[in-house]
Amino acid sequence: MTRTGTTQAHLRRALRREVPSTVGLLADEHDFTAMRRYRTFAFDDHTTYLRQVEALLKNLATQGGHTTVALFDPEEYAAYCAETALDPDHPTSRSRFTAHLAVTGARVTYTGQPLSTLLPELVDTAVRYATWEYATTVLATAGDCATCGKDIGRAAHERAARLLARLLEAAGPGTHHLVCSVRAAGDQLLAVLHVHGTTPPTAEDAAAAELTAVLAAGIALAAPGGLVLRTTTPGARDRLHGWRLTDGTLAPLTEAEVFAAYCTDATTGEPLSPEPGVDHRAGFPLAPDPDDDWTDHH
């Protein structure tokens, strides 16, 4: 190769490191089987497919670029092809859908982690993304209050943010693990948040935005739900507290209700052994909100 050719190849490799890559991944056997109906889909078994995807990811990593992995959903792919008049049985269509996912879908960054680690992370990210998307849609389409004319979604979100701030303030020092669950339209919306200390996270914190949106959706829909808080402080036993979402507020559970919630198998209803080193406590009442007019107007 000439000196000029060597220089050009070097420049192309340097440019390649600045071009991001996205790999669409069929995470489970069911989705993989759905894609096998397309003649141009080259794989026959999921295990071989995953092995080849991992090899591709490693190869992309050696090139020094930024690589993300997105969850490839066959149903969403078929709908995308129908909306954009693309032939679903064509590699270019799959490539365009993957590029679409890079902008709109749930994705994780590939940093060399094995697929056994990346897959659960990707699925968890996709579930969180779908939850946030549903909750924000609920808030955006809730309409205006017939009594006061306020935007219900906006009011519910503001109320949820104030409830979260008051709860953390009352929780005191320590590391707090919060789980909010709301049953809406037959689905269980779930959001998790870790907080150190009593200062509410900023609006830019993705986990805080997700939990606030889920709590707000429950408020706007008047849907059944609850919130549990686990606080860890050095040299002390963990404390568990719980609240029931009702009438747009968090009503404290009793100590017995908290114990029952944590020590019952959610699937079978069978009792579970209490976790050692943990105290089950009643939810504490939250300080009155001077701006609270939810029950009067919504």
Side-chain angles (χ1 to χ4, degrees):
M1 183 180 290
T2 65
R3 182 186 180 92
T4 300
T6 301
T7 301
Q8 294 297 325
H10 174 74
L11 290 175
R12 283 195 296 272
R13 285 194 297 270
L15 185 60
R16 178 65 185 87
R17 288 194 291 271
E18 299 186 22
V19 178
S21 300
T22 300
V23 175
L25 178 61
L26 296 161
D28 59 39
E29 189 78 40
H30 179 269
D31 287 347
F32 177 83
T33 301
M35 290 302 294
R36 289 194 62 201
R37 65 188 174 190
Y38 301 119
R39 178 185 54 82
T40 57
F41 186 71
F43 295 92
D44 295 323
D45 71 274
H46 195 226
T47 301
T48 301
Y49 165 80
L50 292 177
R51 188 162 54 244
Q52 292 300 319
V53 167
E54 188 160 29
L56 171 63
L57 291 172
K58 290 179 179 178
N59 180 261
L60 290 171
T62 64
Q63 299 176 31
H66 178 76
T67 301
T68 57
V69 182
L71 198 65
F72 195 107
D73 185 299
E75 292 185 6
E76 291 183 10
Y77 172 62
Y80 174 81
C81 289
E83 291 171 3
T84 55
L86 292 174
D87 177 7
D89 197 358
H90 198 284
T92 301
S93 301
R94 293 193 287 274
S95 178
R96 286 186 58 176
F97 178 65
T98 300
H100 170 74
L101 292 178
V103 178
T104 63
R107 54 203 178 276
V108 299
T109 300
Y110 177 70
T111 59
Q113 67 269 49
L115 220 55
S116 58
T117 300
L118 188 147
L119 274 172
E121 181 184 359
L122 179 59
V123 171
D124 178 67
T125 299
V127 170
R128 288 175 50 199
Y129 182 85
T131 296
W132 177 84
E133 193 174 51
Y134 177 84
T136 53
T137 299
V138 166
L139 299 177
T141 58
D144 297 333
C145 174
T147 303
C148 67
K150 288 183 178 180
D151 184 306
I152 293 175
R154 183 187 298 274
H157 192 273
E158 292 172 351
R159 179 168 177 75
R162 293 197 303 269
L163 283 171
L164 177 58
R166 287 156 54 208
L167 187 147
L168 289 174
E169 181 181 5
T175 298
H176 307 298
H177 177 80
L178 300 94
V179 179
C180 180
S181 61
V182 169
R183 181 164 292 281
D187 291 324
Q188 191 75 23
L189 305 182
L190 192 70
V192 178
L193 174 64
H194 295 276
V195 180
H196 300 287
T198 60
T199 303
T202 64
E204 288 73 27
D205 186 301
E210 291 164 10
L211 188 138
T212 304
V214 167
L215 180 57
I219 293 172
L221 295 171
L227 187 146
V228 292
L229 166 70
R230 179 171 185 153
T231 298
T232 301
T233 52
R237 292 165 62 90
D238 284 8
R239 306 187 307 276
L240 298 176
H241 303 270
W243 292 262
R244 180 182 294 106
L245 179 61
T246 180
D247 295 329
T249 193
L250 293 173
L253 297 177
T254 66
E255 184 176 312
E257 288 172 326
V258 173
F259 182 88
Y262 271 93
C263 298
T264 304
D265 188 298
T267 303
T268 65
E270 295 295 319
L272 301 173
S273 299
E275 186 178 348
V278 176
D279 291 333
H280 300 82
R281 299 185 180 180
F284 41 80
L286 303 181
D289 184 350
D291 298 321
D292 182 17
D293 61 357
W294 183 265
T295 54
D296 294 333
H297 295 286
H298 302 286

